[in-house]
Amino acid sequence: MARLLEDKIAIVTGAAHGIGRGHALELAKHGAKVVVADLGTSVQGEGRGDDADEVVELIAKRGGTAIADFADVADTEQAKALVERTVTEFGRIDIVVNNAGIARDKVIWNMTPEDFDAVMRVHVRGTWLMTHLASRHWRSRYQAGERFTGRVINTTSGAGLAGNFGQSNYATAKAAIVGLTLTTSLELARFGVTVNAVGPGGMTRLTATMGKDLKAFEPDELAEDEYHPMDPAGSSPLVAWLASDEAQHVSGQVLRAIHDKIYLMGGWTEDAVISSDEKKWHATTLGARLATDVFRTRAPGLR
């Protein structure tokens, strides 16, 4: 029986540790050939390293196929080289999992513009750039008459969906990724490519920065079927399924995988509406209407 992702070609960014590492291992387990892409920086985005090699070795020991790449996915030339190398090594790209990210948490009055820019660069520019380059690859194949399926799976966060104290940069980036997901799901549909976002949980290096007593661990430190509510790979089975051909009907969706639950997240909706009956609004009278019919902080009987 064929595995779920047999012979699919996947790029997973930020795959050396934590959630990305879990995704790389899970995709390989289901038959994908994986490019383990990671610059090897610290949580704050400093330095470089070769930790992606460790994940490649793990995949190889488990009978899978993987290569490491150390590109900075927010750098145009390096990201382009990553995509070109993948196509050269494996012939095509089927799946892009955008997971690379850093954290520089501070309350907004202490956060520097450099902290904001660095986080936005990796999360938003990196996700956009990899999607942009993959989309050009897929468009070229489609224009040549090839019919195929493709996948982009982006990483969002509860911080981006609901806000989080001390993370104005990170939350803004993760919210932007949702907007990117919704738009590119529309743009890439004609090529047979789906785009979704997953908000994972897990005790990762980024999570561990939120408290001095928190300690990160890697997903491969757990046994194959061992459940842990903060397993960094807790969302990886969902990502593997979204990457499969079974999920062709799912696009433009935001899902969260937290502990033992998977949530479909609803987008912005028009929860309440008032009308001026084709007359200009007046700020002096607007408050009562908003209080009564929009925010419902005033009883309807006080109209």
Side-chain angles (χ1 to χ4, degrees), residues 36-57:
V36 180
D38 200 297
L39 181 58
T41 70
S42 70
V43 172
Q44 291 77 31
E46 298 163 339
R48 297 186 74 126
D50 57 3
D51 293 353
D53 284 334
E54 186 177 317
V55 183
V56 171
E57 290 175 12

Side-chain angles (χ1 to χ4, degrees), residues 10 41 99 218 234 241 244 258:
T41 70
N99 179 73
E218 298 294 356
W241 182 79
S244 76
I258 306 295

Side-chain angles (χ1 to χ4, degrees), residues 80-140:
K80 190 181 296 184
L82 165 59
V83 168
E84 290 173 352
R85 181 187 176 202
T86 302
V87 174
T88 299
E89 292 270 352
F90 296 121
R92 67 183 189 279
I93 299 167
D94 299 307
I95 302 157
V96 175
V97 181
N98 288 308
N99 179 73
I102 64 172
R104 294 190 182 185
D105 297 351
K106 293 184 182 77
V107 291
I108 193 163
W109 53 86
N110 288 333
M111 186 176 291
T112 67
E114 290 74 23
D115 291 331
F116 182 85
D117 289 344
V119 169
M120 292 292 287
R121 178 183 181 276
V122 179
H123 289 273
V124 182
R125 180 181 168 86
T127 297
W128 181 89
L129 190 52
M130 289 301 299
T131 305
H132 163 72
L133 293 168
S135 72
R136 292 177 68 86
H137 165 76
W138 287 319
R139 183 172 181 263
S140 176

Side-chain angles (χ1 to χ4, degrees), residues 165-267:
F165 187 92
Q167 290 192 311
S168 60
N169 50 5
Y170 182 82
T172 301
K174 290 307 190 185
I177 286 171
V178 171
L180 176 64
T181 299
L182 299 178
T183 298
T184 52
S185 72
L186 303 176
E187 294 177 343
L188 297 179
R190 64 182 298 190
F191 307 141
V193 176
T194 67
V195 187
N196 294 286
V198 171
M203 188 49 66
T204 65
R205 297 189 305 164
L206 267 67
T207 308
T209 64
M210 297 180 182
K212 62 180 180 179
D213 297 325
L214 300 178
K215 185 176 181 355
F217 64 92
E218 298 294 356
D220 46 288
E221 293 178 35
L222 300 174
E224 176 70 21
D225 292 320
E226 182 180 352
Y227 171 75
H228 190 296
M230 293 299 286
D231 180 1
S235 64
S236 297
L238 173 61
V239 168
W241 182 79
L242 287 171
S244 76
D245 287 344
E246 284 186 14
Q248 186 63 31
H249 62 294
V250 180
S251 194
Q253 303 301 313
V254 179
L255 299 112
R256 294 192 75 193
I258 306 295
H259 301 164
D260 63 342
K261 295 179 173 59
I262 294 175
Y263 303 87
L264 174 64
M265 304 301 293

